[in-house]
Amino acid sequence: MTSRVIATVLTASLLGLACVQDGGNSTPADTSGGDDGPPCAEQLPELPPLGNPEFVGTVSGEAMPNLRATRIASANIARVANDSACCQDYVVAGGTNAVTIKFAAAHDGLTFLANRADETVAIGSSTQSARDLAVGDLNADNRNDIVVLRSDGVVVVALAVPAPPMNGPYFGVTSNWTMAVAGYVPGASLDLADMDADGDLDLFITSTTTRILWRKNNGNGMFAAASHSNAGITTQNLVMARVNAGNQADALVAGSDGRFAYLRSTGNGFAPAALHRIASPGANTTGMLIAAGRICPGHPTTTAVAVAFYDYVKVACSDGAGGFANVLEPHGEQEDVANDGVVDYLWDSAEGLSQQHLSKDLTIWTPADSNSLGELYAHYDGGLGTLAEWKIPGTCGIVSRAMPLARWGSAFDSMIVHRESVGDSTWGGFACAGSLGLLSVH
């Protein structure tokens, strides 16, 4: 999800698997942590009642004074890609010419393993840095690989070692892929998805104009020639998702003029872009973020689109066939996308729209259960400090909770993790929330 480099002091929120508490709703999590690292969680507050999941708060933090981190992905690195055991590792990138892997300890929850050294993967010379980051298995060996969009527009791929020795190294040599094609230059947003339903992950990047750039995966972590498709709007950020009820990933692109574009995959490219207005005509939505997932109670099995700019999110529900106009929205009313009728979710409804509040990152977590709704996470600068907003769908709307993010180190070179206190909850009759963590860099 792919989003989202819009400021020097940037935050990035990712969803990772957190440790599930033992003992039901009345037994606190183990906070001992052993001798090798910090505890799995801080002192836990009283747990909320069933049906009202909340975050416990900060469970871990680590300052990174030399990393200048702006992007994080959580994934299995020390374990095989499909390992469901707690807890995932973290791939961190940003204002330097290297990607750092920080390994998590299963016995510590979402914390960092003190007795295992970080692994660093160089992505270029000292004059280059990372714009965006994605992690996925590119060559079907069940190990996650790293893909980085570099500041010069080159994509760097670090393939995982198929059978790494004890404690790594987990990555070998890197390969570089030029995305510029037909005069179109890469922008700042990257995503991986299967656009041709052949079982491997293809590569997609925004441009500095109206094009999205892409390369098909040959199945071995190598890519075919670069291609481009017209999004019809100046591309800001993109996310790939299965919108049209098929096995092929479509493209959703946020624009700078209050619109987003939907490009249906044809398997060998994209159909002409369909543009949908989600902010008033004349609106300046430069840097608008975009995410996709199942978050509309009226349409629990179809992929909705959420965008974020300034201090609010707008959601456009889908009919499952690529249509977003006049679809029943979360409040039970009919949307009119063309006339700016989509529902707004303000971070601070008492204050109203404020251009001083900047959305930093937007993510939708969608559970594997095809009948369950997902949750929307956004990270924004509220002026008085960085906050995260967590939204969970209900039958009568989307309930919102905000939480402050603790400071570790300086303002832009630290990472923190939150953990949700209830493992498997429901809201409004829809199964939600698994046991999630929210990872942030600021």
Side-chain angles (χ1 to χ4, degrees):
M1 331 166 275
T2 37
S3 54
R4 322 126 155 112
V5 176
I6 62 174
T8 301
V9 181
L10 184 69
T11 56
S13 59
L14 275 299
L15 303 182
L17 297 177
C19 292
V20 178
Q21 295 179 183
D22 295 326
N25 297 313
S26 60
T27 303
D30 177 14
T31 60
S32 62
D35 297 329
D36 295 327
C40 187
E42 296 175 346
Q43 183 66 37
L44 300 183
E46 182 180 353
L47 297 182
L50 283 174
N52 184 19
E54 276 185 9
F55 282 95
V56 170
T58 304
V59 298
S60 178
E62 178 168 316
M64 299 177 289
N66 299 316
L67 190 56
R68 295 166 55 200
T70 57
R71 300 294 299 141
I72 288 185
S74 58
N76 287 324
I77 301 298
R79 295 165 293 280
V80 293
N82 62 1
D83 192 340
S84 60
C86 174
C87 293
Q88 294 190 341
D89 308 305
Y90 303 106
V91 182
V92 187
T96 66
N97 65 327
V99 173
T100 299
I101 297 93
K102 291 185 169 291
F103 297 97
H107 66 278
D108 281 342
L110 282 174
T111 55
F112 308 122
L113 184 59
N115 62 359
R116 176 176 291 179
D118 299 342
E119 181 173 348
T120 300
V121 180
I123 61 169
S125 70
S126 60
T127 62
Q128 296 159 344
S129 58
R131 288 181 181 172
D132 207 355
L133 168 71
V135 178
D137 182 5
L138 296 178
N139 55 355
D141 64 353
N142 201 21
R143 300 203 71 90
N144 279 316
D145 310 301
I146 297 175
V147 181
V148 179
L149 173 57
R150 212 165 58 188
S151 56
D152 60 357
V154 171
V155 170
V156 181
V157 174
L159 293 178
V161 176
M166 182 67 68
N167 291 331
Y170 292 93
F171 295 94
V173 297
T174 61
S175 58
N176 293 352
W177 297 90
T178 301
M179 297 301 299
V181 57
Y184 299 111
V185 179
S189 181
L190 171 152
D191 204 1
L192 297 171
D194 185 1
M195 71 168 292
D196 50 5
D198 64 353
D200 54 41
L201 298 174
D202 308 306
L203 174 64
F204 306 88
I205 291 177
T206 57
S207 74
T208 57
T209 59
T210 62
R211 300 283 166 155
I212 61 171
L213 314 176
W214 49 276
R215 282 179 179 265
K216 281 190 175 184
N217 188 345
N218 291 333
N220 57 359
M222 309 293 283
F223 295 93
S227 300
H228 61 91
S229 298
N230 188 7
I233 50 176
T234 301
T235 63
Q236 304 294 293
N237 291 284
L238 90 163
V239 64
M240 303 297 296
R242 293 175 180 175
V243 176
N244 197 36
N247 292 325
Q248 300 170 162
D250 307 311
L252 296 159
V253 185
S256 60
D257 62 352
R259 295 182 293 176
F260 73 87
Y262 164 62
L263 289 80
R264 179 180 58 82
S265 173
T266 63
N268 195 37
F270 295 96
L275 300 181
H276 299 280
R277 178 160 297 284
I278 204 161
S280 301
N284 179 0
T285 55
T286 299
M288 184 163 72
L289 312 177
I290 190 164
R294 301 192 306 268
I295 55 174
C296 289
H299 306 271
T301 61
T302 62
T303 300
V305 172
V307 300
F309 56 98
Y310 301 142
D311 66 344
Y312 64 87
V313 163
K314 290 194 171 188
V315 175
C317 300
S318 167
D319 62 4
F324 294 93
N326 299 316
V327 180
L328 186 68
E329 52 100 90
H331 293 298
E333 301 171 355
Q334 291 297 121
E335 291 182 19
D336 185 356
V337 175
N339 293 311
D340 191 28
V342 293
V343 64
D344 298 348
Y345 300 101
L346 280 169
W347 300 143
D348 186 352
S349 58
E351 183 176 335
L353 178 63
S354 171
Q355 295 188 23
Q356 301 304 313
H357 294 181
L358 298 177
S359 296
K360 302 295 188 181
D361 197 28
L362 184 69
T363 304
I364 294 176
W365 172 78
T366 302
D369 179 1
S370 61
N371 293 316
S372 297
L373 293 178
E375 297 168 55
L376 186 149
Y377 294 77
H379 199 172
Y380 74 106
D381 185 350
L384 298 178
T386 305
L387 298 175
E389 190 87 0
W390 172 60
K391 297 178 183 294
I392 185 168
T395 55
C396 299
I398 293 187
V399 177
S400 173
R401 294 186 180 276
M403 56 189 165
L405 300 179
R407 295 289 181 178
W408 299 80
S410 63
F412 60 91
D413 58 5
S414 56
M415 61 192 297
I416 63 173
V417 179
H418 285 1
R419 194 181 74 183
E420 187 223 330
S421 63
V422 176
D424 201 8
S425 302
T426 60
W427 189 284
F430 291 97
C432 299
S435 186
L436 302 179
L438 171 62
L439 180 65
S440 301
V441 163
H442 59 277

